[in-house]
Amino acid sequence: MKKTQGSLVNKHFLSGSIWALSGKIFTTIAQLLINALLAHLLAPEELGVYFLIFSVVNLAALLIQLGMPQVAVRYISASLAKQTQINQLIKYLFSFCFISACIVSLIFIFFAGDYLAVNTFHSETMLDVMQLAVLWAVVLAFQALSAEIFRGFNDIRFATVFGGLINSIIISILFASLWVDQGHTDVSQVIILSIASGFGCVITACFLIGRKANSIKDLTDHDNDWKTLWVVGWPILLTNIIFFALLQSDIWILGIYASKEEVGIYASIARLAMIISVSLMIINAVVSPLIAEFHAKEKLHELELTLRPITSLAFLCSFFGMSFFIVFGADTLALLFGEKFSEGWMILVLLSVANLVKVFGGSCGVNLLMTGHQMALLMITVISSIMTIGLSLILVETYRGEGIASALIVGFFIQNLISVLYTKKVNGIWTHADIGFIINVLSGKWHLSAMGMNKFK
């Protein structure tokens, strides 16, 4: 039975990883193309304003989500494992986000949006497009929820497609057409095209979710109500907001202390550096429903046997990616965004190191989230975020982007260290990359045999 269960994990990993890997590759290529096109479509100062608006939109989208995308993965996976009804659960998830969308939209349109545009970032352009930005946030929130509902169904294919793949491809095509036709545009037109693409994806995803939910028959009544979802969701919401502060504080702080042109250069480089952590994103995309399922069955140790070797291979791939940026980073920046951006080579190297630190820790955060330890993850994220933001504020005036990137390295290291150790304490498994395994790979002693990810010669 143990062997059969292990083969099922590896089979799911193989199938899910193929979709997640191919999806992430095409999504990454499309997003790189989008960033390159934006660097040519928008003036340098407009590019900086765009990235600040996009950051505000992501914050609003997180508030609208109320943590429901992660709740969807956990409870839909658990419902499938326990053979309980799912339709009512999905209705609760969408209802939470709809009510939240109404409240958050009003707050940003009548208060928060104007305050951020005028008092924080001093941008008239941001003020002019705030209503469009709020609509964009609503679309992104429902897009994220739809994708994670598919992930809860263990449907990595549709989770990948609607989690950003098809939207990124459509937007890249629209921006490329705009570049060929006009050569230049403004921020409002960029946002309108993004909204149109995202809205089409959300409508299609909701239709497919309805079909999938209705196709599941003969299940017992569900044992989850809206109170249960809220109790689990609000700590995830706070964790997401604080994690947002950890990931986006660099752009906000730079937006306050530096010129919009510097923000545009830094944000473009930061998006490029995210390639280093693509391998971890793929693992998390595949493993999150499995963690919820195996935790419900009390078999997390079986999952660890496959997860750690895969994390080790992901770290190795990310290390080679970082090495490439160290050697060819300046040329890559000039090729993608223009000669001006090559001045940010050191920022690219530092941000690559920060992303490499994230990959080494593996799926520790997802593990805590999917096993009911969201409050612990919240506290860990608070500690690391406070330290990162504090160090960024100290370094930004003297070292600008390089100082903020250095602060991120420290923040990610602290967060991963505490998360890995706490995951071992509460769940009894390690999630970080195995140095011994990596050495065996580099020395040629490792081989892949019948999907037995942890076998050696």
Side-chain angles (χ1 to χ4, degrees):
M1 182 69 179
K2 184 175 181 180
K3 182 177 180 181
T4 302
Q5 190 69 54
S7 66
L8 288 175
V9 176
N10 289 331
K11 182 179 180 181
H12 183 90
F13 248 116
L14 180 60
S15 174
S17 295
I18 289 173
W19 269 104
L21 176 61
S22 57
K24 186 55 70 174
I25 288 173
F26 284 111
T27 301
T28 301
I29 293 173
Q31 289 177 344
L32 281 176
L33 179 58
I34 289 170
N35 293 337
L37 288 168
L38 285 172
H40 294 286
L41 282 168
L42 299 174
E45 185 170 334
E46 287 181 315
L47 182 63
V49 173
Y50 166 82
F51 282 120
L52 288 171
I53 292 172
F54 186 66
S55 182
V56 172
V57 165
N58 279 321
L59 173 60
L62 281 179
L63 294 172
I64 292 170
Q65 291 167 25
L66 291 176
M68 290 302 119
Q70 292 88 341
V71 171
V73 176
R74 176 177 170 183
Y75 280 94
I76 291 177
S77 297
S79 294
L80 289 174
K82 297 176 181 178
Q83 296 292 296
T84 57
Q85 285 284 355
I86 293 175
N87 281 357
Q88 189 63 41
L89 174 60
I90 293 176
K91 290 178 182 177
Y92 283 147
L93 293 168
F94 275 107
S95 297
F96 267 117
C97 287
F98 176 78
I99 295 171
S100 177
C102 295
I103 297 172
V104 171
S105 296
L106 291 174
I107 292 174
F108 270 83
I109 289 174
F110 291 106
F111 173 68
D114 290 358
Y115 182 85
L116 288 172
V118 176
N119 298 94
T120 304
F121 299 121
H122 312 291
S123 173
E124 289 295 327
T125 302
M126 182 183 293
L127 181 63
D128 293 338
V129 300
M130 187 52 64
Q131 292 184 359
L132 285 174
V134 170
L135 181 57
W136 192 12
V138 173
V139 170
L140 288 182
F142 280 94
Q143 185 177 326
L145 177 61
S146 302
E148 295 311 297
I149 287 175
F150 283 121
R151 201 178 314 282
F153 280 111
N154 284 327
D155 191 338
I156 306 301
R157 176 187 57 172
F158 279 159
T160 301
V161 169
F162 292 105
L165 173 59
I166 189 66
N167 191 41
S168 297
I169 292 175
I170 293 172
I171 290 176
S172 63
I173 293 173
L174 292 174
F175 285 0
S177 301
L178 193 63
W179 182 51
V180 171
D181 184 50
Q182 299 181 12
H184 185 270
T185 188
D186 56 26
V187 174
S188 63
Q189 191 169 10
V190 167
I191 295 176
I192 290 172
L193 292 176
S194 300
I195 292 172
S197 174
F199 182 75
C201 293
V202 169
I203 294 299
T204 306
C206 289
F207 172 74
L208 293 174
I209 288 171
R211 289 184 59 183
K212 181 176 283 289
N214 291 329
S215 67
I216 300 175
K217 306 295 183 181
D218 300 322
L219 299 182
T220 60
D221 291 339
H222 69 93
D223 54 359
N224 303 308
D225 56 20
W226 67 269
K227 292 182 180 179
T228 301
L229 301 183
W230 171 247
V231 168
V232 176
W234 76 262
I236 296 176
L237 170 63
L238 290 181
T239 302
N240 287 342
I241 292 173
I242 296 170
F243 196 64
F244 169 89
L246 177 62
L247 292 177
Q248 296 290 315
S249 61
D250 52 352
I251 295 178
W252 285 48
I253 292 172
L254 206 60
I256 295 171
Y257 287 92
S259 68
K260 300 301 182 288
E261 181 177 346
E262 288 180 273
V263 173
I265 293 174
Y266 177 92
S268 298
I269 294 172
R271 288 192 167 192
L272 178 61
M274 287 179 64
I275 290 178
I276 302 301
S277 60
V278 162
S279 55
L280 179 61
M281 296 178 194
I282 293 171
I283 292 174
N284 288 340
V286 178
V287 80
S288 54
L290 285 176
I291 292 175
E293 179 181 343
F294 276 70
H295 176 65
K297 296 177 180 178
E298 299 182 352
K299 293 181 178 180
L300 278 179
H301 285 282
E302 294 181 16
L303 190 60
E304 181 186 11
L305 296 176
T306 298
L307 182 58
R308 285 202 69 195
I310 293 176
T311 300
S312 303
L313 292 176
F315 174 79
L316 197 57
C317 293
S318 298
F319 179 81
F320 290 141
M322 183 194 70
S323 302
F324 176 86
F325 283 151
I326 291 175
V327 179
F328 302 107
D331 294 332
T332 303
L333 291 172
L335 177 65
L336 289 175
F337 308 119
E339 198 64 38
K340 178 73 174 177
F341 287 76
S342 63
E343 300 172 2
W345 170 79
M346 181 54 68
I347 296 176
L348 177 61
V349 171
L350 292 171
L351 290 176
S352 297
V353 173
N355 280 280
L356 188 67
V357 170
K358 281 199 299 183
V359 176
F360 184 81
S363 303
C364 48
V366 174
N367 197 295
L368 292 173
L369 201 59
M370 293 295 115
T371 57
H373 299 287
Q374 57 270 10
M375 288 301 297
L377 182 61
L378 172 61
M379 294 308 300
I380 293 170
T381 308
V382 167
I383 293 171
S384 56
S385 296
I386 291 175
M387 296 191 68
T388 302
I389 294 173
L391 189 56
S392 296
L393 290 171
I394 293 173
L395 297 176
V396 65
E397 291 197 60
T398 303
Y399 300 102
R400 290 301 204 241
E402 289 89 345
I404 292 177
S406 300
L408 284 175
I409 295 175
V410 176
F412 286 144
F413 175 79
I414 293 172
Q415 183 185 44
N416 269 10
L417 178 62
I418 301 175
S419 297
V420 167
L421 293 176
Y422 193 76
T423 299
K424 177 62 176 177
K425 177 182 177 181
V426 296
N427 289 330
I429 66 171
W430 292 112
T431 62
H432 64 285
D434 187 339
I435 298 298
F437 182 92
I438 293 173
I439 293 173
N440 278 315
V441 172
L442 294 176
S443 61
K445 296 180 181 179
W446 172 84
H447 68 102
L448 188 66
S449 176
M451 286 304 294
M453 296 292 184
N454 55 332
K455 294 183 179 180
F456 294 88
K457 293 179 181 178

